[in-house]
Amino acid sequence: MKLLIASDIHGSAYWCRALMARIEVESPDSIVLLGDLLYHGPRNDLPRDYAPKEVLAMLNTLADRVVAVRGNCDSEVDQMVLDFPCVADYAIVMDATPAEGADGQPAPKPKPRLLFCTHGHLFGPQNVPPLACGAALLYGHTHVKEIASRDGVLFVNPGSVSLPKDGSNSYAIYENGTFELRELVGE
């Protein structure tokens, strides 16, 4: 299973086009969107090429592959224009992909990995829901990318597509049980 994980597009058509180009190249099985998709919010400056209608049109082309959660800048009205569910506070993705054994054959009965997907304003490193050892908590909200482990739980923040607070626009890839942060480059 290959996932592309992104957060905090904030209505930027410019950065959403860059993300769409990476989705085409990466060819993930699913796209996990961790909220704050269409609006910039009152604390953020307008992102480059702020055009929520253009962003929703682009994202709707991916509807059959999207798992999305609500961010603190998202609202129920977004569900009226987006063709995929987007108002839940969290989503669970299970990775039960059989790992390959040393001989190239599927490994015997791999333990599924739970991926708890949320925006980060309700659940996150400071408010961790009950998760089993080996689970991963995927969150955005801070606009700062991170991969960290604590008490057997992996915390993964892909950073921000359009308004990074750590210097580079980014997303993450999950494949073969591992996460990798990747820089998003505009046109």
Side-chain angles (χ1 to χ4, degrees):
M1 171 172 73
K2 182 177 183 179
L3 304 176
L4 184 141
I5 305 153
S7 189
D8 297 282
I9 299 169
H10 286 290
S12 171
Y14 176 87
W15 287 107
C16 191
R17 279 190 295 277
L19 182 65
M20 296 295 285
R22 294 311 310 158
I23 290 168
E24 187 170 331
V25 170
E26 298 279 6
S27 191
D29 299 307
S30 296
I31 298 101
V32 176
L33 299 175
L34 300 175
D36 285 1
L37 304 178
L38 302 178
Y39 302 111
H40 64 91
R43 291 182 289 187
N44 296 314
D45 291 332
L46 283 175
R48 183 171 180 177
D49 294 345
Y50 182 67
K53 286 183 180 180
E54 287 181 44
V55 171
L56 75 88
M58 286 184 264
L59 296 179
N60 279 342
T61 67
L62 306 169
D64 63 333
R65 295 192 293 158
V66 169
V67 173
V69 296
R70 178 182 64 90
N72 60 305
C73 293
D74 300 324
S75 69
E76 286 77 13
V77 73
D78 299 346
Q79 189 61 80
M80 297 172 71
V81 294
L82 290 169
D83 294 337
F84 49 85
C86 63
V87 293
D89 291 328
Y90 65 90
I92 303 289
V93 175
M94 294 298 292
D95 180 8
T97 306
E100 201 171 273
D103 59 358
Q105 298 299 314
K109 295 255 184 176
K111 182 178 176 186
R113 178 182 223 171
L114 183 140
L115 308 176
F116 185 95
C117 308
T118 191
H119 180 62
H121 66 297
L122 298 175
F123 301 106
Q126 306 309 316
N127 186 24
V128 182
L131 295 173
C133 187
L137 191 147
L138 313 183
Y139 70 101
H141 186 57
T142 65
H143 299 217
V144 177
K145 56 191 139 315
E146 171 186 47
I147 298 177
S149 182
R150 187 176 82 227
D151 300 325
V153 174
L154 192 62
F155 297 91
V156 179
N157 187 327
S160 176
V161 168
S162 70
L163 296 168
K165 292 183 179 175
D166 60 359
S168 65
N169 307 71
S170 57
Y171 65 98
I173 292 292
Y174 176 77
E175 189 172 26
N176 299 321
T178 61
F179 292 93
E180 182 181 329
L181 299 171
R182 298 198 177 161
E183 189 170 331
L184 186 61
V185 179
E187 301 165 348

